[in-house]
Amino acid sequence: MRAVTLPEDPSRREHLRALVAVGGTSALGACLDLGADGDGAGDPNAVSVPSGTDPDALPERQHAWNEALPTDEHGNVRPPEHHVLVALSLADGVDVPPSGDARETLEAALRTLERAYERSNEGLLFTLGYTPGYFDRFDEPLPDDLSLPEPGPLFPGGDPAVDAHDAVLHLASDEAAVVLEAEEALFGDRETVNGVPLEADATAVFDPLAERRRTGFVGAGLPAEHTDVPGVPDSIPAEAPFFMGFRSGFRRSQATEDRVTIESGPFAGGTTQQISTTALQLEAWFEQDNHFQRVSKLFSREHAAADLVGEYGEALEASNGLTAERIDSTAADAREHGVVGHAQKAARAREDGEPPLLRRDFNTVDGDRPGIHFLSLQRTIADFARVREAMVDEELDVPTANDGIRHYVFVDRRGNYLLPPRSLRALPPANPDGN
Ligand code: HEM
């Protein structure tokens, strides 16, 4: 199979991004008409990207994506460009505990995706996670040492809606046509994936919830292509991969996949996933603040004063530049300069110098406004809550507008999920050892 060439023309990239947001058969057709899969050669109605492999040869961790993604010259992982979060509820007729047939049907459908697409940014990466509500359907609770609480407000004034459906499928690829085709094959009309016939009907197990479908994108230059969306100002740096204008996800400020993996019990090899759907106040961010203020509020005052970041983060290498001293100086920065950085605040929750969260967030213009689907993986939801509390920490003596990015980020919705190991990903029981 050929390697995939990304479209060069920005308006074409933007068109592809918009088609992912729309979803469905006609969006997939339009994507293929644009030659969106590789070089567009061959059957104009078919996706053609590198093919997959024997599912038995794949890692047990659903979240083991880093090995399958490209890295830059500093070892930072580059996330896939297109993302879809498909919200799912159990279909009518699926019993709890689910029958062996229901599990086999879902597993067969997921295995077809793995055989069809290379497990990489050029093919498809996916995870399937389950909510506390799904596990509540079982008589037996989750194992004692596994806590999967419903998301709480976490800080005063925050009262987001909660993901109450059963599961979420996260689809990610550099190819717009691939995320659309995989979704359509599982839950729509498509009968093949990358030329491979789908053998099982996933709609016998899950109903997709159209109103809860979420989409997004990451990539150098993509945010600046959205200045036609209300609330996206023209002043976004041309190269920035994220809406707030800076690179993110430096290797040393991310947890490793080992650090976020559940180590014992029947779900060993799994992880927990937290998704916050947030809106961003970008006009105030770019038009009322200058670059010095933005760097102070996202990183730290010293990052701004010593010009450590560059225009959009290009001056940073494998780390966001938060040394132990810069993290320890958070309270002093608040007192002396009246400003603290978001990353500086959040880094106070590192454990033995190691960040506990693996952030895999992406930009969105769902609902025609700018936002971030903040998706993080961590061993326990308590790790997330601890970092989120450090990010909020109202004890510091700073005006809200200078308190990291709190003034610019609004959480609309939150969901907590368990991502089981691959062997338990198809309708897991709450306590696999107990059932
Ligand atoms: C929604 C808007 C958000 C934006 C635009 C944003 C942006 C950033 C940026 C630019 C960095 C510095 C670069 C890096 O280290 O990768 C950073 C670091 C970080 N952010 Fe956020 N972030 C957001 C939300 C959150 C949330 C909700 C959390 C969860 C509590 C969070 C946790 C962190 C952590 C843990 C770090 C790294 C700290 C360390 O180095 O140990 N961020 N963020």
Side-chain angles (χ1 to χ4, degrees):
M1 286 280 176
R2 279 174 294 269
V4 173
T5 312
L6 282 175
E8 291 293 312
D9 170 10
S11 62
R12 186 158 171 259
R13 280 174 92 194
E14 168 49 9
H15 195 168
L16 291 171
R17 201 284 310 155
L19 292 170
V20 171
V22 171
T25 312
S26 45
L28 173 58
C31 228
L32 294 172
D33 286 346
L34 283 173
D37 59 313
D39 60 7
D43 181 349
N45 194 30
V47 169
S48 166
V49 295
S51 40
T53 187
D54 173 3
D56 290 334
L58 295 176
E60 174 69 338
R61 298 177 182 179
Q62 293 198 70
H63 57 288
W65 288 15
N66 288 357
E67 280 291 304
L69 287 169
T71 47
D72 67 16
E73 71 269 35
H74 303 297
N76 302 308
V77 171
R78 183 179 67 70
E81 189 163 316
H82 297 285
H83 297 256
V84 179
L85 296 171
V86 192
L88 301 166
S89 65
L90 287 187
D92 289 346
V94 175
D95 301 325
V96 175
S99 64
D101 277 359
R103 288 203 169 106
E104 275 161 33
T105 301
L106 180 58
E107 183 59 22
L110 299 176
R111 284 181 161 246
T112 311
L113 298 184
E114 289 169 335
R115 282 202 310 278
Y117 302 111
E118 183 178 88
R119 193 172 182 282
S120 78
N121 55 308
E122 294 183 2
L124 176 72
L125 290 166
F126 69 89
T127 61
L128 180 57
Y130 294 84
T131 57
Y134 166 82
F135 291 110
D136 284 347
R137 292 172 176 272
F138 293 81
D139 292 338
E140 291 218 16
L142 284 162
D144 286 345
D145 55 356
L146 203 164
S147 163
L148 188 70
E150 288 288 358
L154 292 180
F155 50 91
D159 191 15
V162 167
D163 285 355
H165 40 260
D166 286 298
V168 79
L169 179 68
H170 180 185
L171 300 166
S173 174
D174 282 347
E175 298 305 317
V178 166
V179 288
L180 288 172
E181 185 185 62
E183 183 183 9
E184 277 305 287
L186 291 180
F187 305 113
D189 296 334
R190 189 82 178 170
E191 287 172 4
T192 59
V193 274
N194 205 19
V196 175
L198 201 82
E199 288 153 19
D201 177 12
T203 62
V205 178
F206 278 133
D207 289 328
L209 304 174
E211 70 286 5
R212 293 264 164 273
R213 183 177 182 272
R214 288 171 272 190
T215 67
F217 53 92
V218 191
L222 276 176
E225 286 172 27
H226 289 80
T227 47
D228 53 328
V229 173
V232 181
D234 291 334
S235 36
I236 292 195
E239 289 301 315
F242 285 95
F243 264 142
M244 289 184 92
F246 294 93
R247 284 169 66 204
S248 168
F250 297 95
R251 179 161 54 87
R252 296 217 187 95
S253 63
Q254 291 277 51
T256 60
E257 287 174 350
D258 282 348
R259 172 64 182 83
V260 304
T261 300
I262 297 171
E263 291 178 301
S264 58
F267 290 106
T271 186
T272 74
Q273 171 177 269
Q274 179 289 145
I275 306 175
S276 306
T277 293
T278 69
L280 297 177
Q281 194 49 274
L282 291 184
E283 278 160 341
W285 177 249
F286 281 106
E287 287 168 7
Q288 291 167 16
D289 289 343
N290 59 33
H291 185 264
F292 189 98
Q293 292 167 315
R294 285 194 290 275
V295 172
S296 304
K297 293 180 194 187
L298 249 183
F299 293 87
S300 79
R301 170 70 169 48
E302 198 182 328
H303 279 74
D307 198 10
L308 299 178
V309 170
E311 190 199 356
Y312 60 90
E314 72 282 7
L316 295 166
E317 297 185 344
S319 127
N320 60 16
L322 280 172
T323 56
E325 294 86 59
R326 289 186 187 125
I327 300 168
D328 288 345
S329 69
T330 308
D333 286 354
R335 278 194 311 275
E336 288 160 27
H337 303 291
V339 63
V340 287
H342 156 72
Q344 179 186 30
K345 282 185 96 179
R348 292 172 308 153
R350 289 184 187 176
E351 273 182 352
D352 301 326
E354 299 291 323
L357 307 193
L358 176 50
R359 291 167 285 134
R360 287 186 172 158
D361 48 307
F362 44 92
N363 307 293
T364 186
V365 288
D366 286 349
D368 254 350
R369 55 180 199 156
I372 290 216
H373 292 305
F374 183 85
L375 185 157
S376 65
L377 305 179
Q378 51 282 308
R379 189 170 290 146
T380 66
I381 293 293
D383 287 327
F384 172 75
R386 202 163 43 77
V387 180
R388 192 65 171 96
E389 277 154 19
M391 171 179 163
V392 173
D393 185 1
E394 296 189 322
E395 299 296 307
L396 295 170
D397 190 15
V398 275
T400 326
N402 289 348
D403 192 357
I405 51 174
R406 293 185 59 209
H407 194 56
Y408 307 90
V409 177
F410 302 90
V411 186
D412 293 333
R413 156 171 295 282
R414 264 187 217 293
N416 290 344
Y417 296 85
L418 174 66
L419 302 191
R422 274 178 65 249
S423 52
L424 284 169
R425 67 187 168 178
L427 303 178
N431 192 342
D433 285 350
N435 284 2

